[in-house]
Amino acid sequence: MKRGDYLKPLDWFTSAGYLFLYLPICILIAFSFNTSRFSVVWERFTWEWYGRLIRDPLVLDALKNSVIVAIVAMILSTIIGTLTAYGLYRYRFRGKSVFDGILFLPIVTPEIVVGISLVIFFVMIKYNLGLTTIIIAHVAFDIPFVMLIVRARLQGMDRTLEEASMDLGADEWTTFFKVTIPQLLPGIIAAALLAFTLSFDDFVITFFVAGVGATTLPLKIYSMVRLGVSPKINALSALIVLFSISLITVADRLQRMRV
Amino acid sequence: MEFTVELNRVTKKFGDVVAADNVSLQIGRGEFFSLLGPSGCGKTTTLRLIAGFEEPTEGEIFINNENVRDKRPYERDVNTVFQSYALFPHLTVAGNIAFGLERKKTPRHEMGRLIEEALDLVRLKGMGDRYPRQLSGGQQQRVALARALVLKPEVLLLDEPLGALDLKLRKEMQLELKSLQEKVGITFIYVTHDQEEALTMSDRIAVMERGRLEQVGTPEEIYEFPKTRFVADFIGVSNFFSGQVIRAEGETLLVRTDGNLDVTLPLDHGFTEGQRVQFSIRPEKFSVGPQGKGRDGENELVGEIANRIYLGGSIHYVIALSAEEKVTVFLKNERTAGQQPSFSVGERVTVSWHRDDSVILGD
């Protein structure tokens, strides 16, 4: 019996797994080009829904908010996360292992819990909910992801490079910017792209901390869906999927780049 | 003598581990100084203390007569060639060499010239645009050297710089490094575990073991007059004996070994009758023949050839002098047409050596 035959059932399961993951998304994309408004029956191909989408001022407004939130959250979380990861890597201090351990906690905490806790926090300090609170919340949940990626990169870095830099006359700051950062750069960019994507796509936490008036794209989709799923939503979702997948692909490539 | 680097009772502890134990050293200007020892003996730690990557637990370090206690690595006039080379992978060869010059705020036009000179010095002309990963191990090693030398430091620290190279390239680079050092005239402090390398290149060698300095001296002193059993054993091959002093007599010390052999050693006033003594003899100090040379002060013992290893240019014998005591003897191959002064296993021979070739060892 050939090895290939032996593996046949496994092949089948793998294909089924991927089908299960991607079929709904493919159907969603396909129906974003369908002329029929309500039914899920295919009629004719059209770009109409995309045209309507880009002429909808409310959608464009939500998109603008989403981009602002995602960019600001990306920049802040990347800076804070990178520096924190470097601090944990570089310095020995009491309770370091505890800090290392609880790094994952925010990642496994249910989003709804994070959302509720943040909204309670903002109400407690009497901070008005809006774009700022969304950004703060996004920075908070982006940081652990940034740290994880940067930390992986740090562990692959040759520590003597920093010593060599200091040996050649560079002080700590110069060493950090001229040697450490260039070594970490692929990891930092990957982390930034992931942070952007996570922030751009987030619904649950944003839902809690958005307040009135500050609507991001996922929130807008949700409110549109409540009036019924239209091909316009399909079109919008298709665009978001495409955008997210390309960002993640780039991030993945960068992360694999060798030091 | 003028010292560039001076260590005064320097101790470095990592937790309970004592990596450097009360090390005092004085290294002269322009000297090629080696720190030699097995791995874990503290030689690299000593180097890192001088570079400023580690701080001494106790003791003081002086570079150019200046106490460097509070000086960070970038404030010290020393540069290091790392075992792993530690070239910056994101910079070209020229970029790597320029790194230190940029920190010194060297003017642009001068920098280009200095980089060219440095590349020329290590025979890498025209390689400035390459990236480190595009170079062979030997070439990377040279870049690391050029990067440090271009700064014209008072002292160059080298941490097993040839460790990653294959044997042939190693031998080449040893000679090249030595002549380079003579050319630029700066102090080299060279860490190695390879005794042959240390003997070949150094003006002076410090042998280290378990954080302590065992002996400091010229290659010849270290080889001919090892002070401790460790040094005699680590450098080259030695035959060890121990025994008891019978009496001092004129210029000699009469000793009976544990194997009941009576031998003479050079007089050492530290020893009195009945005291234990340990000594070693290098394998090439013996002569073997039907009879000794009959020189004054010659020891003569009869033994049996137990083993013979033919190495072409030389022949190594193991000769049993008593039930417990065997010596290793290296003889030059003196075979010429019609003559074959060689011995075979089982043959009884006279082994002789001069008493001054025995070296009394401390602990």
Side-chain angles (χ1 to χ4, degrees):
Chain A
M1 192 164 75
K2 277 193 307 184
R3 195 176 153 76
D5 298 335
Y6 180 70
L7 285 173
K8 263 287 182 307
L10 201 56
D11 289 355
W12 212 88
F13 272 109
T14 312
S15 315
Y18 272 88
L19 212 62
F20 183 71
L21 283 175
Y22 284 100
L23 194 61
I25 295 174
C26 292
I27 289 173
L28 174 128
I29 294 172
F31 277 90
S32 71
F33 296 108
N34 192 2
T35 42
S36 162
R37 187 178 175 97
F38 299 109
S39 84
V40 287
V41 180
W42 182 262
E43 284 181 5
R44 266 177 298 108
F45 179 89
T46 178
W47 285 104
E48 188 196 341
W49 309 112
Y50 288 88
R52 281 205 207 174
L53 197 63
I54 57 169
R55 281 192 301 272
D56 184 334
L58 289 176
V59 168
L60 290 180
D61 198 44
L63 174 68
K64 195 187 83 191
N65 282 343
S66 269
V67 170
I68 291 171
V69 167
I71 286 178
V72 178
M74 170 185 80
I75 293 171
L76 292 178
S77 63
T78 304
I79 293 172
I80 299 170
T82 301
L83 291 176
T84 314
Y86 186 66
L88 279 175
Y89 161 84
R90 184 64 198 265
Y91 299 105
R92 268 179 248 170
F93 53 87
R94 195 187 280 272
K96 178 174 173 168
S97 57
V98 178
F99 278 97
D100 267 337
I102 60 174
L103 176 59
F104 295 93
L105 212 54
I107 292 174
V108 296
T109 310
E111 273 195 80
I112 195 153
V113 175
V114 178
I116 292 170
S117 68
L118 280 166
V119 81
I120 291 172
F121 174 74
F122 289 132
V123 169
M124 196 182 77
I125 64 167
K126 297 196 170 58
Y127 199 93
N128 284 335
L129 299 181
L131 270 191
T132 320
T133 50
I134 299 178
I135 289 171
I136 293 171
H138 285 204
V139 169
F141 74 68
D142 275 345
I143 284 175
F145 288 98
V146 172
M147 284 175 70
L148 274 181
I149 295 176
V150 173
R151 190 172 73 163
R153 188 79 189 175
L154 274 166
Q155 278 159 352
M157 189 175 79
D158 180 3
R159 184 72 185 273
T160 52
L161 290 179
E162 292 183 349
E163 287 184 348
S165 163
M166 299 232 269
D167 189 71
L168 293 167
D171 59 22
E172 284 83 355
W173 279 106
T174 316
T175 297
F176 185 70
F177 287 111
K178 291 266 178 186
V179 175
T180 314
I181 292 281
Q183 291 307 300
L184 299 182
L185 204 57
I188 294 173
I189 296 173
L193 292 178
L194 182 67
F196 184 93
T197 314
L198 288 172
S199 168
F200 193 80
D201 294 349
D202 181 73
F203 173 74
V204 178
I205 294 173
T206 316
F207 180 77
F208 281 96
V209 298
V212 196
T215 303
T216 63
L217 216 45
L219 294 188
K220 178 66 191 162
I221 294 173
Y222 180 68
S223 70
M224 285 161 77
V225 170
R226 283 200 290 198
L227 307 172
V229 179
S230 83
K232 206 163 118 187
I233 291 170
N234 287 357
L236 182 54
S237 307
L239 287 176
I240 292 176
V241 166
L242 198 70
F243 180 63
S244 298
I245 286 180
S246 18
L247 278 190
I248 292 299
T249 310
V250 175
D252 187 55
R253 283 278 163 81
L254 284 167
Q255 243 188 303
R256 286 158 199 258
M257 243 172 80
R258 68 199 184 98
V259 182
Chain B
M1 196 171 176
E2 203 182 351
F3 303 121
T4 35
V5 175
E6 211 176 331
L7 273 68
N8 191 7
R9 298 174 164 277
V10 171
T11 296
K12 174 67 187 176
K13 290 179 189 160
F14 295 105
D16 293 333
V17 182
V18 184
D21 190 355
N22 204 12
V23 174
S24 293
L25 276 178
Q26 288 162 331
I27 298 163
R29 196 170 298 279
E31 199 174 11
F32 196 122
F33 191 92
S34 290
L35 291 166
L36 173 66
S39 59
C41 73
K43 54 191 193 297
T44 296
T45 302
T46 307
L47 199 76
R48 292 172 60 83
L49 285 164
I50 300 170
F53 302 135
E54 309 286 352
E55 283 173 32
T57 315
E58 278 165 52
E60 289 160 320
I61 297 169
F62 297 87
I63 298 171
N64 276 330
N65 301 316
E66 187 189 10
N67 194 329
V68 291
R69 188 206 316 271
D70 302 319
K71 300 259 184 196
R72 305 284 299 141
Y74 45 84
E75 294 167 325
R76 302 187 183 196
D77 198 7
V78 298
N79 288 115
T80 309
V81 175
F82 293 85
Q83 186 169 14
S84 60
Y85 313 140
L87 298 178
F88 304 124
H90 60 289
L91 299 177
T92 59
V93 168
N96 268 279
I97 299 173
F99 191 89
L101 295 171
E102 282 165 5
R103 306 283 84 73
K104 277 185 163 181
K105 308 252 185 296
T106 313
R108 279 251 149 242
H109 59 279
E110 206 177 325
M111 204 141 86
R113 185 179 56 81
L114 288 169
I115 292 169
E116 281 310 307
E117 274 178 23
L119 284 172
D120 209 19
L121 187 70
V122 295
R123 301 199 283 118
L124 282 177
K125 225 176 166 70
M127 299 275 208
D129 295 335
R130 305 253 184 116
Y131 280 90
R133 62 175 171 276
Q134 297 170 305
L135 302 179
S136 70
Q139 289 171 326
Q140 291 184 18
Q141 210 278 324
R142 286 159 204 261
V143 176
L145 209 59
R147 184 175 71 172
L149 283 174
V150 75
L151 300 174
K152 304 198 164 54
E154 282 287 337
V155 184
L156 189 67
L157 308 173
L158 302 103
D159 185 7
E160 308 230 13
L162 308 181
L165 304 180
D166 61 61
L167 191 69
K168 191 167 171 287
L169 198 55
R170 252 182 110 110
K171 298 272 179 210
E172 271 175 43
M173 286 300 290
Q174 282 174 14
L175 298 174
E176 211 171 294
L177 260 180
K178 178 69 183 163
S179 65
L180 193 69
Q181 189 261 344
E182 279 159 8
K183 199 155 131 193
V184 296
I186 59 182
T187 311
F188 273 37
I189 303 181
Y190 192 97
V191 162
T192 180
H193 64 268
D194 183 336
Q195 42 132 337
E196 207 181 306
E197 192 166 290
L199 292 173
T200 316
M201 304 167 77
S202 321
D203 294 320
R204 278 197 307 151
I205 300 172
V207 184
M208 290 188 78
E209 156 73 345
R210 287 202 223 133
R212 281 194 308 267
L213 279 183
E214 289 275 317
Q215 188 173 355
V216 181
T218 64
E220 213 167 329
E221 282 166 3
I222 298 271
Y223 184 82
E224 301 289 345
F225 308 108
K227 281 189 177 145
T228 64
R229 187 184 166 111
F230 177 80
V231 175
D233 199 26
F234 190 73
I235 314 237
V237 179
S238 286
N239 293 295
F240 293 103
F241 296 91
S242 44
Q244 212 160 27
V245 176
I246 298 172
R247 64 174 178 277
E249 204 179 74
E251 291 293 290
T252 64
L253 207 58
L254 217 62
V255 171
R256 179 159 298 159
T257 69
D258 295 345
N260 244 350
L261 305 170
D262 284 343
V263 297
T264 55
L265 300 182
L267 183 65
D268 185 319
H269 294 290
F271 289 93
T272 52
E273 209 179 300
Q275 218 178 332
R276 300 284 304 163
V277 63
Q278 225 190 133
F279 62 99
S280 75
I281 307 162
R282 293 289 187 192
E284 67 279 4
K285 305 295 182 193
F286 296 103
S287 23
V288 180
Q291 260 175 354
K293 288 175 189 157
R295 281 186 294 174
D296 187 33
E298 199 87 6
N299 284 294
E300 268 190 34
L301 292 171
V302 177
E304 193 183 300
I305 307 268
N307 206 344
R308 174 181 186 270
I309 302 159
Y310 181 78
L311 291 171
S314 64
I315 304 171
H316 295 185
Y317 296 98
V318 177
I319 302 172
L321 298 177
S322 68
E324 303 97 57
E325 285 165 323
K326 288 186 177 120
V327 287
T328 303
V329 176
F330 298 170
L331 293 184
K332 229 176 90 194
N333 184 353
E334 283 169 336
R335 176 177 174 157
T336 52
Q339 266 198 327
Q340 197 179 335
S342 165
F343 309 97
S344 42
V345 175
E347 208 174 317
R348 287 191 73 76
V349 290
T350 303
V351 179
S352 57
W353 73 97
H354 195 272
R355 62 154 187 263
D356 289 349
D357 285 326
S358 314
V359 181
I360 296 175
L361 304 172
D363 293 321

